[in-house]
Amino acid sequence: MLQTEFLRSVHANYERVLLEEKPEEKKYQYCILNRGGIKGLLPCSLRYINGLAYLYYDITSRQSVAQVYADKSIGREWVKDFLWSLRQIELELSRFLLDLRNVIWYPEHIFQELDRSIFSFMYIPYYQGEDSFRGLLEFLIDHIDYEDEVLVDTVYKMYDHYEKLGYDYLQTHIFTDSETLEQEVCEIPDKVKENHLIPEKQEEEITEPMEENEEEKQEKRGILSIFDGKKKKTKAEKSVYQKELRLSMSGYEPFASRVAEEDEYTEEYGQTIFISDTEEKNTLRRLYTSGGQILVQLENPSYVIGKKKDEVDVVLEETSISRMHARILREQDAYFIEDLNSTNGTFKNNLRMQPYEKRRLEEGDEIRLGKVTLMFR
């Protein structure tokens, strides 16, 4: 299992990986990686600290895919852009005689430039660890837009074929499967359906369904059994599923495993007083500006703060603020501040945080994001 941590220096942010064994620096893959200049790979350097060997990957001004899509769905265009990048990195590695199996595919180790759909990958020479591409596909299954049936069918097919073929699937087959994503999404307006301008029944009678062979039928059954028919969820069911997933990722117990809670009461002067919903809401915290104005009341489990309007929940239009700078998390009765690999840093009570570090907030704490100071109360 990878042992990684995030570090911040004066001019750059890094993700560093502890190597289990002392590397043979003169071997080809280390030499070519140290030389740099391989498009699509994170810039990397080998360093020794207290007798231990580390690989330092420069992640400055990049955001991990896991963070970008922690609370939102992935659409078809993103998947197409990612597969294009996958094709490019595959060609680049082949050009330098590097092994595609040494790329770490977990979404928390794949980095994206937010202004452009350009991805950078972590490459570990002679990596012998677990299969990480399956982890990426499972992440896609949990986060894709379930209203796009073509996208859902394509990703499920990718998962099923990868289970059968392993890394050989990444050579050419995955790009053949992804060709279906070029299909246009054609929706019939509701008004047309209501006025019966397109008779659906008649259309069904004219169109004869193509017969599936036994292998195709088994393949479909296999895909649906793996994921319990998530593809068939209605919009409402999918919303509930996503909500439960976000809560479980934020530290809550899944809804299905939670037992019915009894009403809470407290005793005062011998009488039992019911704790109302209004009183519970008063425990919610807020972020204040340095001028004492309320910036946001923290009602939701997560708030991303930054200057890129379509990616964050709280916009701060200040040049020292990163596009996705920090996140406020509520986990049960506690609040946390998490740095999101910001360029100018996140500070809690004047103590600078490491990239992706998370610290608990207490009432009265000062939060500094770049040049912006906020108060947590």
Side-chain angles (χ1 to χ4, degrees):
M1 185 174 179
L2 285 176
Q3 296 185 49
T4 68
E5 58 183 329
F6 297 94
L7 302 171
R8 188 188 304 277
S9 69
V10 177
H11 301 294
N13 295 343
Y14 297 96
E15 180 175 7
R16 78 174 184 183
V17 178
L18 173 63
L19 298 178
E20 295 181 358
E21 299 178 357
K22 186 177 179 180
E24 298 181 38
E25 297 181 47
K26 293 183 179 180
K27 292 184 73 172
Y28 174 75
Q29 290 191 17
Y30 281 106
C31 291
I32 200 72
L33 196 65
N34 185 58
R35 193 187 74 170
I38 303 178
K39 294 180 181 178
L41 294 188
L42 290 166
C44 177
S45 60
L46 177 63
R47 305 182 190 181
Y48 292 91
I49 301 173
N50 297 326
L52 298 176
Y54 295 90
L55 287 172
Y56 278 68
Y57 297 88
D58 189 339
I59 59 172
T60 308
S61 300
R62 298 176 176 91
Q63 195 62 254
S64 77
V65 169
Q67 291 290 351
V68 175
Y69 290 96
D71 297 312
K72 61 181 183 179
S73 61
I74 292 174
R76 186 190 300 200
E77 289 305 313
W78 186 94
V79 174
K80 288 166 62 177
D81 289 340
F82 181 83
L83 290 172
W84 183 88
S85 293
L86 173 59
R87 182 59 174 161
Q88 299 309 305
I89 194 63
E90 184 179 278
L91 294 172
E92 189 76 352
L93 293 181
S94 176
R95 188 163 73 94
F96 286 96
L97 303 178
L98 294 175
D99 193 341
L100 191 65
R101 290 177 174 83
N102 295 335
V103 175
I104 307 303
W105 298 105
Y106 290 120
E108 56 267 32
H109 303 302
I110 299 174
F111 291 84
Q112 177 180 354
E113 296 181 25
L114 294 180
D115 288 341
R116 302 175 296 170
S117 293
I118 296 178
F119 300 88
S120 299
F121 301 90
M122 176 187 291
Y123 186 93
I124 299 180
Y126 310 103
Y127 179 67
Q128 299 294 323
E130 56 195 358
D131 180 357
S132 57
F133 197 82
R134 183 181 290 105
L136 173 62
L137 291 173
E138 289 172 353
F139 180 84
L140 290 178
I141 285 166
D142 281 337
H143 290 81
I144 52 174
D145 179 5
Y146 273 75
E147 294 184 1
D148 186 340
E149 291 188 7
V150 173
L151 174 61
V152 173
D153 284 335
T154 301
V155 172
Y156 277 51
K157 186 185 294 182
M158 287 178 181
Y159 186 98
D160 191 56
H161 288 173
Y162 182 76
E163 284 287 283
K164 295 175 181 177
L165 301 174
Y167 267 93
D168 290 340
Y169 175 65
L170 303 186
Q171 302 300 322
T172 54
H173 303 291
I174 190 171
F175 306 109
T176 302
D177 285 348
S178 66
E179 290 175 0
T180 55
L181 297 177
E182 300 300 330
Q183 297 178 13
E184 293 185 8
V185 181
C186 298
E187 294 184 359
I188 301 173
D190 293 337
K191 189 174 287 186
V192 174
K193 288 183 179 180
E194 290 171 5
N195 294 333
H196 304 287
L197 296 180
I198 298 180
E200 296 179 359
K201 215 168 193 181
Q202 184 179 352
E203 194 175 335
E204 288 177 8
E205 292 172 359
I206 295 172
T207 306
E208 294 183 3
M210 294 180 64
E211 291 187 6
E212 296 179 326
N213 59 39
E214 189 60 31
E215 184 178 347
E216 289 175 333
K217 290 178 181 178
Q218 289 179 359
E219 180 178 323
K220 285 191 175 181
R221 284 196 294 268
I223 293 173
L224 292 177
S225 65
I226 290 172
F227 299 105
D228 299 323
K230 287 182 188 175
K231 185 178 67 171
K232 295 184 177 180
K233 287 180 181 291
T234 64
K235 184 176 181 180
E237 288 173 329
K238 180 59 185 170
S239 176
V240 171
Y241 168 75
Q242 289 177 331
K243 182 178 179 182
E244 291 176 9
L245 179 66
R246 286 198 299 270
L247 291 178
S248 64
M249 291 174 66
S250 301
Y252 287 87
E253 295 177 358
F255 181 82
S257 65
R258 208 181 302 150
V259 296
E261 298 177 1
E262 297 180 359
D263 292 335
E264 295 185 57
Y265 295 87
T266 183
E267 285 198 9
E268 183 174 326
Y269 303 111
Q271 297 180 346
T272 303
I273 302 171
F274 179 68
I275 299 176
S276 67
D277 291 340
T278 306
E279 289 174 343
E280 283 190 21
K281 287 181 180 178
N282 290 336
T283 65
L284 292 175
R285 300 301 183 203
R286 300 182 177 94
L287 288 183
Y288 291 82
T289 65
S290 57
Q293 298 174 323
I294 297 176
L295 178 65
V296 61
Q297 178 162 300
L298 304 172
E299 299 176 347
N300 298 332
S302 174
Y303 286 87
V304 176
I305 305 171
K307 67 182 178 185
K308 189 169 176 58
K309 294 182 180 180
D310 55 343
E311 298 286 353
V312 303
D313 305 300
V314 181
V315 178
L316 295 178
E317 295 181 348
E318 218 287 331
T319 55
S320 65
I321 299 295
S322 295
R323 288 161 292 185
M324 291 177 65
H325 197 109
R327 188 197 315 271
I328 302 290
L329 299 166
R330 185 182 185 187
E331 299 180 359
Q332 298 184 7
D333 294 328
Y335 289 85
F336 297 84
I337 177 74
E338 179 184 20
D339 179 82
L340 295 180
N341 193 31
S342 61
T343 299
N344 292 304
T346 300
F347 298 77
K348 176 181 176 288
N349 296 333
N350 289 323
L351 296 176
R352 187 166 189 162
M353 299 170 61
Q354 297 292 351
Y356 298 116
E357 181 183 359
K358 187 168 70 172
R359 293 183 187 173
R360 181 165 179 164
L361 289 170
E362 303 293 344
E363 186 174 358
D365 279 348
E366 178 186 277
I367 299 170
R368 181 155 58 87
L369 312 176
K371 293 181 180 180
V372 177
T373 301
L374 305 174
M375 297 299 297
F376 175 78
R377 294 174 184 165

